[in-house]
Amino acid sequence: MNTAIYPGSFDPVTYGHLDIIERSAQMADHLIVGVLKNNTKEPMFTVEERLEMLREETGRYANVEIRAFDGLLADFARDCGAKVIIRGLRAVTDFEYELQMAQTNRKLAPELDTIFLATDLRYAYLSSSIVKEVAYWHGDIRAFVTPYVAERIREKI
Ligand code: PNS
């Protein structure tokens, strides 16, 4: 696996994402974390803020690069020279959508393959939406995100 892409919204990055990044960075020579700009969902953080948080949390990995992208993931992968997309699978409920995305991406760019990593059991329930929901109601989010990200969420709220 030379260059791989781990794409997502990362609004914001959670311990679940960081676990996938750490594991993928051990498998790929170069891992590009692609942050989607043109998300249809209304994000809590701007793309610059999401990039900043990811850079802060992944700075210790020499082969990890954080980049924003717009438009189709298949085009971004081509521009990056990546042939592998990495996605985390939490539960069987993720599978249908993920399979559809993987197959669409292969149709758009036949040289692209998607590799699914099983989310660590510690983070199986975790999503950025859940973190924002708990934070909104002033719940404890320390088990979900790093102290730095938790502070950024608190500032927003
Ligand atoms: O973290 P998310 O929100 O689950 O990530 C979804 C993401 C960014 C991987 C997906 O929405 C995406 O790739 N969007 C780019 C547009 C695209 O390529 N769509 C066609 C593939 S179905």
Side-chain angles (χ1 to χ4, degrees), residues 72-126:
L72 288 176
L73 175 58
D75 292 336
F76 178 59
R78 271 207 180 116
D79 292 346
C80 295
K83 297 206 168 28
V84 173
I85 292 171
I86 293 179
R87 293 283 289 171
L89 267 187
R90 287 168 300 195
V92 80
T93 42
D94 282 343
F95 184 73
E96 215 169 314
Y97 171 62
E98 292 296 336
L99 183 66
Q100 191 180 22
M101 266 207 315
Q103 289 170 336
T104 306
N105 284 327
R106 253 181 87 73
K107 193 76 191 164
L108 295 172
E111 74 278 10
L112 262 185
D113 259 308
T114 301
I115 292 184
F116 297 112
L117 293 191
T119 299
D120 191 285
L121 265 184
R122 286 174 297 169
Y123 312 119
Y125 61 91
L126 194 50

Short mmCIF file of all heavy atoms in Angstrom, two decimals, residues 72-126:
data_model
loop_
_atom_site.label_atom_id
_atom_site.label_comp_id
_atom_site.label_asym_id
_atom_site.label_seq_id
_atom_site.Cartn_x
_atom_site.Cartn_y
_atom_site.Cartn_z
N LEU A 72 -15.59 15.03 -5.85
CA LEU A 72 -15.61 13.57 -5.74
C LEU A 72 -14.34 13.01 -5.10
O LEU A 72 -13.22 13.41 -5.45
CB LEU A 72 -15.78 12.93 -7.12
CG LEU A 72 -17.15 13.07 -7.76
CD1 LEU A 72 -17.12 12.47 -9.17
CD2 LEU A 72 -18.23 12.39 -6.93
N LEU A 73 -14.55 12.04 -4.22
CA LEU A 73 -13.42 11.36 -3.58
C LEU A 73 -12.56 10.64 -4.63
O LEU A 73 -11.32 10.62 -4.53
CB LEU A 73 -13.98 10.37 -2.55
CG LEU A 73 -12.99 9.46 -1.85
CD1 LEU A 73 -11.94 10.28 -1.11
CD2 LEU A 73 -13.73 8.54 -0.88
N ALA A 74 -13.22 10.07 -5.64
CA ALA A 74 -12.48 9.33 -6.68
C ALA A 74 -11.49 10.27 -7.39
O ALA A 74 -10.35 9.89 -7.69
CB ALA A 74 -13.45 8.71 -7.68
N ASP A 75 -11.92 11.52 -7.64
CA ASP A 75 -11.03 12.49 -8.30
C ASP A 75 -9.88 12.88 -7.38
O ASP A 75 -8.73 13.01 -7.82
CB ASP A 75 -11.82 13.75 -8.71
CG ASP A 75 -12.82 13.45 -9.82
OD1 ASP A 75 -12.60 12.47 -10.56
OD2 ASP A 75 -13.81 14.19 -9.93
N PHE A 76 -10.22 13.06 -6.11
CA PHE A 76 -9.18 13.43 -5.13
C PHE A 76 -8.14 12.31 -5.04
O PHE A 76 -6.93 12.56 -5.03
CB PHE A 76 -9.84 13.69 -3.77
CG PHE A 76 -8.89 14.04 -2.66
CD1 PHE A 76 -8.04 15.13 -2.75
CD2 PHE A 76 -8.84 13.26 -1.50
CE1 PHE A 76 -7.16 15.45 -1.72
CE2 PHE A 76 -7.96 13.57 -0.46
CZ PHE A 76 -7.11 14.66 -0.58
N ALA A 77 -8.62 11.08 -5.01
CA ALA A 77 -7.70 9.93 -4.91
C ALA A 77 -6.77 9.91 -6.12
O ALA A 77 -5.56 9.68 -5.99
CB ALA A 77 -8.51 8.64 -4.81
N ARG A 78 -7.33 10.15 -7.30
CA ARG A 78 -6.51 10.18 -8.52
C ARG A 78 -5.46 11.27 -8.43
O ARG A 78 -4.29 11.04 -8.73
CB ARG A 78 -7.41 10.46 -9.74
CG ARG A 78 -7.96 9.22 -10.33
CD ARG A 78 -8.26 9.41 -11.83
NE ARG A 78 -8.79 8.16 -12.33
CZ ARG A 78 -10.02 8.01 -12.81
NH1 ARG A 78 -10.85 9.03 -12.84
NH2 ARG A 78 -10.42 6.84 -13.25
N ASP A 79 -5.90 12.48 -7.99
CA ASP A 79 -4.94 13.61 -7.87
C ASP A 79 -3.81 13.27 -6.92
O ASP A 79 -2.69 13.73 -7.09
CB ASP A 79 -5.65 14.87 -7.34
CG ASP A 79 -6.65 15.42 -8.33
OD1 ASP A 79 -6.60 15.01 -9.51
OD2 ASP A 79 -7.49 16.27 -7.93
N CYS A 80 -4.13 12.49 -5.89
CA CYS A 80 -3.11 12.14 -4.87
C CYS A 80 -2.27 10.95 -5.30
O CYS A 80 -1.32 10.58 -4.61
CB CYS A 80 -3.78 11.76 -3.55
SG CYS A 80 -4.66 13.10 -2.78
N GLY A 81 -2.67 10.28 -6.38
CA GLY A 81 -1.96 9.07 -6.81
C GLY A 81 -2.22 7.91 -5.86
O GLY A 81 -1.39 7.01 -5.72
N ALA A 82 -3.38 7.92 -5.20
CA ALA A 82 -3.72 6.86 -4.24
C ALA A 82 -4.59 5.80 -4.92
O ALA A 82 -5.46 6.14 -5.72
CB ALA A 82 -4.45 7.44 -3.04
N LYS A 83 -4.36 4.55 -4.58
CA LYS A 83 -5.19 3.47 -5.13
C LYS A 83 -6.02 2.81 -4.04
O LYS A 83 -6.78 1.88 -4.30
CB LYS A 83 -4.30 2.44 -5.83
CG LYS A 83 -3.56 3.05 -7.02
CD LYS A 83 -3.22 2.03 -8.06
CE LYS A 83 -2.76 2.61 -9.37
NZ LYS A 83 -2.12 3.91 -9.33
N VAL A 84 -5.85 3.28 -2.83
CA VAL A 84 -6.54 2.66 -1.70
C VAL A 84 -7.26 3.72 -0.86
O VAL A 84 -6.66 4.74 -0.51
CB VAL A 84 -5.54 1.88 -0.82
CG1 VAL A 84 -6.21 1.37 0.44
CG2 VAL A 84 -4.94 0.72 -1.59
N ILE A 85 -8.52 3.42 -0.55
CA ILE A 85 -9.31 4.26 0.35
C ILE A 85 -9.53 3.44 1.62
O ILE A 85 -9.82 2.25 1.53
CB ILE A 85 -10.67 4.61 -0.28
CG1 ILE A 85 -10.47 5.53 -1.48
CG2 ILE A 85 -11.62 5.26 0.74
CD1 ILE A 85 -11.73 5.74 -2.28
N ILE A 86 -9.39 4.09 2.73
CA ILE A 86 -9.60 3.38 4.00
C ILE A 86 -10.83 3.95 4.68
O ILE A 86 -11.02 5.16 4.75
CB ILE A 86 -8.36 3.52 4.91
CG1 ILE A 86 -7.22 2.76 4.25
CG2 ILE A 86 -8.64 3.01 6.31
CD1 ILE A 86 -5.92 2.78 4.95
N ARG A 87 -11.69 3.04 5.17
CA ARG A 87 -12.85 3.47 5.94
C ARG A 87 -12.97 2.56 7.16
O ARG A 87 -12.66 1.36 7.10
CB ARG A 87 -14.15 3.36 5.12
CG ARG A 87 -14.21 4.33 3.95
CD ARG A 87 -14.54 5.74 4.35
NE ARG A 87 -15.93 5.89 4.77
CZ ARG A 87 -16.41 6.99 5.34
NH1 ARG A 87 -15.62 8.03 5.61
NH2 ARG A 87 -17.68 7.06 5.67
N GLY A 88 -13.44 3.12 8.26
CA GLY A 88 -13.68 2.33 9.45
C GLY A 88 -15.10 1.80 9.43
O GLY A 88 -16.01 2.52 9.01
N LEU A 89 -15.28 0.56 9.86
CA LEU A 89 -16.64 -0.01 9.95
C LEU A 89 -16.95 -0.26 11.42
O LEU A 89 -16.26 -1.03 12.08
CB LEU A 89 -16.70 -1.34 9.22
CG LEU A 89 -17.12 -1.39 7.77
CD1 LEU A 89 -17.27 -2.84 7.34
CD2 LEU A 89 -18.40 -0.63 7.50
N ARG A 90 -17.99 0.41 11.91
CA ARG A 90 -18.33 0.25 13.33
C ARG A 90 -19.28 -0.92 13.54
O ARG A 90 -19.08 -1.78 14.36
CB ARG A 90 -18.99 1.53 13.86
CG ARG A 90 -18.02 2.66 14.05
CD ARG A 90 -18.74 3.94 14.28
NE ARG A 90 -19.60 4.26 13.15
CZ ARG A 90 -20.13 5.44 12.94
NH1 ARG A 90 -19.95 6.42 13.77
NH2 ARG A 90 -20.89 5.66 11.87
N ALA A 91 -20.35 -0.93 12.78
CA ALA A 91 -21.37 -1.96 12.98
C ALA A 91 -21.96 -2.30 11.63
O ALA A 91 -21.68 -1.65 10.63
CB ALA A 91 -22.46 -1.42 13.90
N VAL A 92 -22.81 -3.31 11.63
CA VAL A 92 -23.38 -3.78 10.37
C VAL A 92 -24.25 -2.68 9.74
O VAL A 92 -24.39 -2.59 8.52
CB VAL A 92 -24.13 -5.11 10.60
CG1 VAL A 92 -25.50 -4.92 11.17
CG2 VAL A 92 -24.16 -5.93 9.34
N THR A 93 -24.74 -1.76 10.56
CA THR A 93 -25.56 -0.65 10.04
C THR A 93 -24.74 0.27 9.15
O THR A 93 -25.29 0.95 8.29
CB THR A 93 -26.17 0.16 11.21
OG1 THR A 93 -25.15 0.33 12.20
CG2 THR A 93 -27.37 -0.50 11.80
N ASP A 94 -23.43 0.34 9.35
CA ASP A 94 -22.56 1.16 8.48
C ASP A 94 -22.39 0.50 7.12
O ASP A 94 -22.06 1.17 6.15
CB ASP A 94 -21.13 1.26 9.08
CG ASP A 94 -21.03 2.26 10.21
OD1 ASP A 94 -21.93 3.09 10.35
OD2 ASP A 94 -20.03 2.18 10.95
N PHE A 95 -22.57 -0.81 7.07
CA PHE A 95 -22.07 -1.59 5.95
C PHE A 95 -22.73 -1.25 4.61
O PHE A 95 -22.05 -1.09 3.58
CB PHE A 95 -22.20 -3.09 6.24
CG PHE A 95 -21.60 -3.94 5.15
CD1 PHE A 95 -20.22 -4.02 5.00
CD2 PHE A 95 -22.40 -4.62 4.25
CE1 PHE A 95 -19.65 -4.77 3.99
CE2 PHE A 95 -21.86 -5.37 3.23
CZ PHE A 95 -20.48 -5.46 3.10
N GLU A 96 -24.07 -1.10 4.64
CA GLU A 96 -24.79 -0.89 3.38
C GLU A 96 -24.32 0.37 2.66
O GLU A 96 -24.01 0.35 1.47
CB GLU A 96 -26.29 -0.82 3.68
CG GLU A 96 -27.11 -1.44 2.59
CD GLU A 96 -28.56 -1.60 3.02
OE1 GLU A 96 -28.80 -2.07 4.15
OE2 GLU A 96 -29.42 -1.22 2.22
N TYR A 97 -24.23 1.45 3.41
CA TYR A 97 -23.80 2.73 2.86
C TYR A 97 -22.34 2.66 2.41
O TYR A 97 -21.98 3.15 1.33
CB TYR A 97 -24.01 3.82 3.92
CG TYR A 97 -23.42 5.16 3.60
CD1 TYR A 97 -23.85 5.90 2.50
CD2 TYR A 97 -22.43 5.73 4.42
CE1 TYR A 97 -23.31 7.14 2.21
CE2 TYR A 97 -21.88 6.97 4.14
CZ TYR A 97 -22.32 7.66 3.03
OH TYR A 97 -21.77 8.89 2.75
N GLU A 98 -21.52 2.03 3.23
CA GLU A 98 -20.09 1.94 2.92
C GLU A 98 -19.85 1.10 1.67
O GLU A 98 -18.99 1.44 0.85
CB GLU A 98 -19.32 1.36 4.12
CG GLU A 98 -19.29 2.27 5.33
CD GLU A 98 -18.54 3.59 5.10
OE1 GLU A 98 -17.68 3.65 4.20
OE2 GLU A 98 -18.85 4.56 5.81
N LEU A 99 -20.60 0.01 1.54
CA LEU A 99 -20.45 -0.85 0.36
C LEU A 99 -20.86 -0.08 -0.90
O LEU A 99 -20.18 -0.13 -1.93
CB LEU A 99 -21.30 -2.12 0.53
CG LEU A 99 -21.18 -3.14 -0.60
CD1 LEU A 99 -19.78 -3.75 -0.64
CD2 LEU A 99 -22.21 -4.26 -0.43
N GLN A 100 -21.96 0.65 -0.78
CA GLN A 100 -22.46 1.44 -1.91
C GLN A 100 -21.40 2.49 -2.32
O GLN A 100 -21.13 2.67 -3.51
CB GLN A 100 -23.74 2.14 -1.47
CG GLN A 100 -24.51 2.78 -2.59
CD GLN A 100 -25.77 3.46 -2.06
OE1 GLN A 100 -25.88 3.79 -0.88
NE2 GLN A 100 -26.72 3.67 -2.94
N MET A 101 -20.80 3.13 -1.34
CA MET A 101 -19.76 4.13 -1.64
C MET A 101 -18.56 3.48 -2.30
O MET A 101 -18.02 3.99 -3.28
CB MET A 101 -19.31 4.82 -0.34
CG MET A 101 -20.05 6.10 -0.06
SD MET A 101 -19.11 7.28 0.91
CE MET A 101 -18.39 6.35 2.21
N ALA A 102 -18.14 2.34 -1.74
CA ALA A 102 -16.95 1.66 -2.28
C ALA A 102 -17.21 1.23 -3.72
O ALA A 102 -16.33 1.38 -4.59
CB ALA A 102 -16.63 0.44 -1.41
N GLN A 103 -18.41 0.73 -3.99
CA GLN A 103 -18.71 0.26 -5.35
C GLN A 103 -18.83 1.43 -6.32
O GLN A 103 -18.38 1.36 -7.46
CB GLN A 103 -19.96 -0.62 -5.33
CG GLN A 103 -19.66 -1.95 -4.65
CD GLN A 103 -20.88 -2.80 -4.37
OE1 GLN A 103 -21.99 -2.27 -4.26
NE2 GLN A 103 -20.68 -4.09 -4.22
N THR A 104 -19.42 2.54 -5.84
CA THR A 104 -19.52 3.74 -6.68
C THR A 104 -18.12 4.25 -7.01
O THR A 104 -17.83 4.59 -8.16
CB THR A 104 -20.33 4.84 -5.96
OG1 THR A 104 -21.57 4.30 -5.55
CG2 THR A 104 -20.55 6.05 -6.85
N ASN A 105 -17.28 4.30 -6.01
CA ASN A 105 -15.92 4.80 -6.24
C ASN A 105 -15.15 3.93 -7.22
O ASN A 105 -14.38 4.42 -8.04
CB ASN A 105 -15.17 4.94 -4.92
CG ASN A 105 -15.64 6.17 -4.15
OD1 ASN A 105 -15.99 7.19 -4.75
ND2 ASN A 105 -15.69 6.08 -2.84
N ARG A 106 -15.39 2.62 -7.16
CA ARG A 106 -14.72 1.72 -8.11
C ARG A 106 -15.24 1.89 -9.53
O ARG A 106 -14.52 1.72 -10.49
CB ARG A 106 -14.87 0.27 -7.66
CG ARG A 106 -13.56 -0.28 -7.11
CD ARG A 106 -13.70 -1.72 -6.70
NE ARG A 106 -13.46 -2.64 -7.81
CZ ARG A 106 -12.27 -2.88 -8.34
NH1 ARG A 106 -11.21 -2.24 -7.91
NH2 ARG A 106 -12.13 -3.76 -9.30
N LYS A 107 -16.53 2.21 -9.61
CA LYS A 107 -17.13 2.46 -10.93
C LYS A 107 -16.51 3.73 -11.53
O LYS A 107 -16.20 3.80 -12.71
CB LYS A 107 -18.64 2.63 -10.76
CG LYS A 107 -19.43 2.58 -12.03
CD LYS A 107 -19.57 1.15 -12.52
CE LYS A 107 -20.13 1.13 -13.93
NZ LYS A 107 -19.93 -0.18 -14.56
N LEU A 108 -16.35 4.76 -10.66
CA LEU A 108 -15.80 6.03 -11.12
C LEU A 108 -14.30 5.93 -11.41
O LEU A 108 -13.79 6.58 -12.32
CB LEU A 108 -16.03 7.12 -10.06
CG LEU A 108 -17.50 7.49 -9.78
CD1 LEU A 108 -17.60 8.41 -8.58
CD2 LEU A 108 -18.12 8.15 -11.01
N ALA A 109 -13.61 5.12 -10.62
CA ALA A 109 -12.15 4.97 -10.78
C ALA A 109 -11.82 3.51 -10.52
O ALA A 109 -11.57 3.11 -9.38
CB ALA A 109 -11.42 5.88 -9.79
N PRO A 110 -11.83 2.67 -11.59
CA PRO A 110 -11.67 1.22 -11.42
C PRO A 110 -10.36 0.80 -10.74
O PRO A 110 -10.26 -0.32 -10.25
CB PRO A 110 -11.74 0.69 -12.86
CG PRO A 110 -12.43 1.75 -13.64
CD PRO A 110 -12.09 3.05 -12.99
N GLU A 111 -9.39 1.69 -10.72
CA GLU A 111 -8.12 1.33 -10.07
C GLU A 111 -8.19 1.50 -8.55
O GLU A 111 -7.27 1.12 -7.83
CB GLU A 111 -6.97 2.18 -10.64
CG GLU A 111 -6.91 3.64 -10.18
CD GLU A 111 -7.85 4.58 -10.95
OE1 GLU A 111 -8.71 4.08 -11.72
OE2 GLU A 111 -7.73 5.80 -10.76
N LEU A 112 -9.32 2.04 -8.06
CA LEU A 112 -9.45 2.32 -6.62
C LEU A 112 -10.06 1.15 -5.85
O LEU A 112 -11.07 0.59 -6.26
CB LEU A 112 -10.41 3.49 -6.42
CG LEU A 112 -9.86 4.89 -6.21
CD1 LEU A 112 -11.01 5.84 -5.92
CD2 LEU A 112 -8.83 4.93 -5.10
N ASP A 113 -9.45 0.82 -4.73
CA ASP A 113 -10.02 -0.20 -3.85
C ASP A 113 -10.28 0.42 -2.49
O ASP A 113 -9.54 1.30 -2.05
CB ASP A 113 -9.05 -1.37 -3.68
CG ASP A 113 -9.46 -2.54 -4.56
OD1 ASP A 113 -10.64 -2.94 -4.48
OD2 ASP A 113 -8.62 -3.02 -5.33
N THR A 114 -11.34 -0.07 -1.82
CA THR A 114 -11.61 0.41 -0.47
C THR A 114 -11.29 -0.71 0.51
O THR A 114 -11.70 -1.85 0.31
CB THR A 114 -13.09 0.82 -0.32
OG1 THR A 114 -13.35 1.86 -1.27
CG2 THR A 114 -13.39 1.34 1.08
N ILE A 115 -10.56 -0.37 1.54
CA ILE A 115 -10.25 -1.33 2.60
C ILE A 115 -10.97 -0.88 3.86
O ILE A 115 -10.88 0.29 4.26
CB ILE A 115 -8.72 -1.40 2.82
CG1 ILE A 115 -8.08 -2.04 1.59
CG2 ILE A 115 -8.38 -2.16 4.09
CD1 ILE A 115 -6.59 -2.26 1.70
N PHE A 116 -11.69 -1.81 4.47
CA PHE A 116 -12.42 -1.49 5.70
C PHE A 116 -11.65 -2.00 6.91
O PHE A 116 -11.25 -3.16 6.95
CB PHE A 116 -13.81 -2.15 5.68
CG PHE A 116 -14.69 -1.65 4.57
CD1 PHE A 116 -15.05 -2.47 3.52
CD2 PHE A 116 -15.16 -0.35 4.59
CE1 PHE A 116 -15.86 -2.00 2.49
CE2 PHE A 116 -15.97 0.14 3.57
CZ PHE A 116 -16.31 -0.69 2.52
N LEU A 117 -11.49 -1.12 7.88
CA LEU A 117 -10.88 -1.54 9.14
C LEU A 117 -11.99 -1.64 10.18
O LEU A 117 -12.80 -0.70 10.30
CB LEU A 117 -9.84 -0.53 9.61
CG LEU A 117 -8.57 -0.38 8.78
CD1 LEU A 117 -7.54 0.46 9.53
CD2 LEU A 117 -7.96 -1.73 8.45
N ALA A 118 -12.02 -2.75 10.89
CA ALA A 118 -13.02 -2.90 11.95
C ALA A 118 -12.66 -1.95 13.08
O ALA A 118 -11.53 -1.95 13.57
CB ALA A 118 -13.01 -4.34 12.45
N THR A 119 -13.60 -1.11 13.43
CA THR A 119 -13.38 -0.16 14.52
C THR A 119 -13.07 -0.91 15.80
O THR A 119 -13.70 -1.93 16.09
CB THR A 119 -14.63 0.72 14.70
OG1 THR A 119 -14.84 1.43 13.49
CG2 THR A 119 -14.48 1.70 15.84
N ASP A 120 -12.12 -0.40 16.56
CA ASP A 120 -11.81 -1.00 17.85
C ASP A 120 -13.08 -0.98 18.71
O ASP A 120 -13.83 0.00 18.70
CB ASP A 120 -10.71 -0.18 18.52
CG ASP A 120 -10.13 -0.88 19.72
OD1 ASP A 120 -10.81 -0.91 20.77
OD2 ASP A 120 -9.02 -1.41 19.61
N LEU A 121 -13.28 -2.08 19.45
CA LEU A 121 -14.50 -2.21 20.27
C LEU A 121 -14.71 -1.03 21.21
O LEU A 121 -15.83 -0.64 21.50
CB LEU A 121 -14.43 -3.49 21.10
CG LEU A 121 -15.12 -4.71 20.51
CD1 LEU A 121 -15.05 -5.87 21.49
CD2 LEU A 121 -16.57 -4.41 20.15
N ARG A 122 -13.60 -0.41 21.66
CA ARG A 122 -13.71 0.73 22.58
C ARG A 122 -14.46 1.89 21.96
O ARG A 122 -15.01 2.73 22.67
CB ARG A 122 -12.30 1.22 22.97
CG ARG A 122 -11.55 0.35 23.93
CD ARG A 122 -10.14 0.85 24.11
NE ARG A 122 -9.39 0.80 22.84
CZ ARG A 122 -8.20 1.36 22.64
NH1 ARG A 122 -7.62 2.04 23.60
NH2 ARG A 122 -7.57 1.24 21.49
N TYR A 123 -14.45 1.95 20.61
CA TYR A 123 -15.05 3.10 19.94
C TYR A 123 -16.22 2.72 19.04
O TYR A 123 -16.64 3.50 18.19
CB TYR A 123 -13.98 3.83 19.11
CG TYR A 123 -12.71 4.08 19.88
CD1 TYR A 123 -11.50 3.55 19.47
CD2 TYR A 123 -12.74 4.85 21.04
CE1 TYR A 123 -10.33 3.78 20.18
CE2 TYR A 123 -11.58 5.08 21.77
CZ TYR A 123 -10.39 4.54 21.33
OH TYR A 123 -9.24 4.76 22.05
N ALA A 124 -16.75 1.52 19.23
CA ALA A 124 -17.76 0.99 18.31
C ALA A 124 -19.02 1.87 18.27
O ALA A 124 -19.71 1.92 17.25
CB ALA A 124 -18.12 -0.43 18.70
N TYR A 125 -19.33 2.54 19.35
CA TYR A 125 -20.57 3.33 19.44
C TYR A 125 -20.34 4.79 19.02
O TYR A 125 -21.28 5.58 18.95
CB TYR A 125 -21.06 3.33 20.90
CG TYR A 125 -20.02 3.95 21.81
CD1 TYR A 125 -20.04 5.31 22.08
CD2 TYR A 125 -18.97 3.18 22.30
CE1 TYR A 125 -19.04 5.89 22.84
CE2 TYR A 125 -17.97 3.75 23.06
CZ TYR A 125 -18.01 5.10 23.33
OH TYR A 125 -17.01 5.69 24.05
N LEU A 126 -19.10 5.15 18.79
CA LEU A 126 -18.72 6.56 18.74
C LEU A 126 -18.91 7.19 17.36
O LEU A 126 -18.59 6.58 16.35
CB LEU A 126 -17.24 6.64 19.14
CG LEU A 126 -16.65 7.99 19.50
CD1 LEU A 126 -17.50 8.73 20.50
CD2 LEU A 126 -15.24 7.79 20.04
#
